[in-house]
Amino acid sequence: MSLQVSDLQTYFYVREGVVKAVDGVSFEMKKGETMGIVGESGCGKSVTALSILRLVPDPGRIVGGKIVFEGEDLLQKTDDEMRKIRGGRIAMIFQNPATSLNPVFTVGFQIGEAIDLHQDLPESQVPEKAVEMLKVVGIPEAQKRAGEYPHVFSGGMRQRAMIAMSLSCNPSLLIADEPTTALDVTIQAQILELMKELRTSFGASILLITHDIGLIAELTEKVAVMYSGHIVENASTEALFGNPCHPYTQGLIASIPKPDVDVERLATIPGVVPDALNPPTGCRFHPRCPKAMDMCKQKDPRTMEVEAGHTVSCFLFGEAK
């Protein structure tokens, strides 16, 4: 396995209490695989990604679990060892490129910094490599653009520059956290196509973090559905869309607009994501679930395998069944 996350627990210790942002998350990825983690804002997707990189901000702490990457437990690494892994073997594309690029350095210089830190290249070849990476991600006049500052770039070009920086050290794992959220629809489509091409060209595993279930269908091979710190369903993308089991997954898929319908009333999931400080007892989705039973309010459902490689945490399967 390229990445194996087991019973990951990341909590935030705030004045009001403990926020269990990630509470027992487990999943695994094979080398070269593209996996998505999907769910509403506030469900713990980005905290999961930051936990893998050991970049959880204060007052957050990883309090339990394992993160095994290429046979090594990242939670046992020193800070110096993690600095070598970040940007080298594991790279991340953040959702807002405007805040991820330093406004006082040129784009080429910033890509070059990553190359210089993680690759054994002569210093004279670093600028050339930076320009080459800008060409790879489809930025025109790459030589000229490398000498420009981030504010000159459009939103789509800044995101391409971030992708160039992430790929410049040939990472084994690329984590993309909402990579198209800040972009308009046309540019989103271009970035999607670019990621598909780069997945083939570079052979890296891609972990896509998103709230967009349509993006999951377009880009991934397997998917974990996350809700309030838990993974409630995990399956291949084909199986998930062909046979969604958890009521939350069914609600997400039902909310996708249908392009062949002239007039459509979009399906919605009633209510909001629960307060992370005071989550409901039992299954955390039960206050919003149209299929909730008495037992859902009393205890957490176990994770059941409904078919090979397809698991779900719901009383509609297993005990209640």
Side-chain angles (χ1 to χ4, degrees):
M1 290 293 168
S2 174
L3 176 68
Q4 192 168 20
V5 176
S6 305
D7 196 26
L8 178 64
Q9 298 165 320
T10 303
Y11 297 171
F12 286 79
Y13 294 85
V14 296
R15 183 176 298 174
E16 296 84 357
V18 180
V19 175
K20 297 181 178 181
V22 176
D23 195 14
V25 162
S26 300
F27 63 89
E28 55 188 34
M29 295 177 64
K30 296 177 183 175
K31 186 172 177 59
E33 192 168 50
T34 301
M35 178 176 177
I37 299 180
V38 67
E40 292 167 278
S41 296
C43 71
K45 307 183 303 293
S46 293
V47 176
T48 299
L50 292 172
S51 299
I52 293 169
L53 287 166
R54 296 248 313 264
L55 287 175
V56 178
D58 285 334
R61 291 205 295 275
I62 300 171
V63 299
K66 283 187 176 183
I67 303 171
V68 179
F69 174 64
E70 295 182 339
E72 303 173 63
D73 189 350
L74 299 184
L75 299 185
Q76 303 302 317
K77 297 288 183 185
T78 65
D79 289 344
D80 284 343
E81 287 171 332
M82 279 306 301
R83 273 191 284 271
K84 291 176 183 175
I85 290 170
R86 290 187 211 110
R89 292 164 59 195
I90 305 177
M92 187 163 181
I93 305 168
F94 293 93
Q95 60 180 290
N96 191 348
T99 57
S100 301
L101 291 164
N102 193 320
V104 301
F105 295 108
T106 66
V107 170
F109 176 83
Q110 292 181 67
I111 295 173
E113 267 194 319
I115 295 167
D116 193 37
L117 184 63
H118 295 287
Q119 287 207 352
D120 189 20
L121 272 182
E123 194 172 334
S124 59
Q125 293 180 22
V126 170
E128 184 182 332
K129 176 71 173 178
V131 171
E132 180 188 325
M133 292 309 303
L134 289 176
K135 289 178 181 175
V136 165
V137 297
I139 291 183
E141 300 181 277
Q143 186 75 50
K144 175 190 170 189
R145 293 295 190 175
E148 293 179 340
Y149 291 88
H151 73 272
V152 179
F153 282 40
S154 67
M157 286 179 63
R158 280 196 291 261
Q159 192 62 288
R160 286 173 184 265
M162 284 300 303
I163 294 171
M165 188 184 301
S166 301
L167 293 171
S168 62
C169 299
N170 299 319
S172 300
L173 173 63
L174 180 63
I175 302 174
D177 185 9
E178 303 278 11
T180 61
T181 296
L183 308 175
D184 63 52
V185 176
T186 305
I187 303 302
Q188 282 183 19
Q190 293 175 7
I191 296 297
L192 258 182
E193 285 303 313
L194 174 63
M195 291 185 69
K196 287 180 186 176
E197 292 168 13
L198 295 175
R199 176 181 62 182
T200 305
S201 305
F202 284 79
S205 305
I206 299 177
L207 180 61
L208 176 65
I209 310 292
T210 183
H211 64 271
D212 187 343
I213 193 78
L215 193 62
I216 289 291
E218 184 80 16
L219 201 62
T220 67
E221 297 158 88
K222 64 188 293 188
V223 55
V225 180
M226 199 164 179
Y227 186 80
S228 189
H230 296 269
I231 287 179
V232 296
E233 190 162 0
N234 195 337
S236 70
T237 307
E238 184 180 3
L240 189 91
F241 281 86
N243 180 31
C245 294
H246 198 282
Y248 181 59
T249 308
Q250 293 168 0
L252 289 178
I253 293 174
S255 68
I256 302 174
K258 301 173 184 65
D260 57 341
V261 177
D262 291 335
V263 179
E264 179 187 7
R265 185 175 181 84
L266 294 177
T268 60
I269 301 173
V272 295
V273 176
D275 180 1
L277 272 170
N278 298 291
T281 57
C283 172
R284 295 187 181 184
F285 186 60
H286 86 257
R288 306 173 68 188
C289 181
K291 301 176 181 177
M293 301 172 285
D294 286 341
M295 69 169 64
C296 302
K297 303 171 187 178
Q298 297 163 9
K299 58 181 182 178
D300 280 327
R302 289 186 297 139
T303 299
M304 309 294 296
E305 190 170 54
V306 292
E307 57 184 341
H310 188 164
T311 61
V312 61
S313 298
C314 182
F315 286 119
L316 294 173
F317 302 85
E319 293 166 64
K321 185 178 178 182

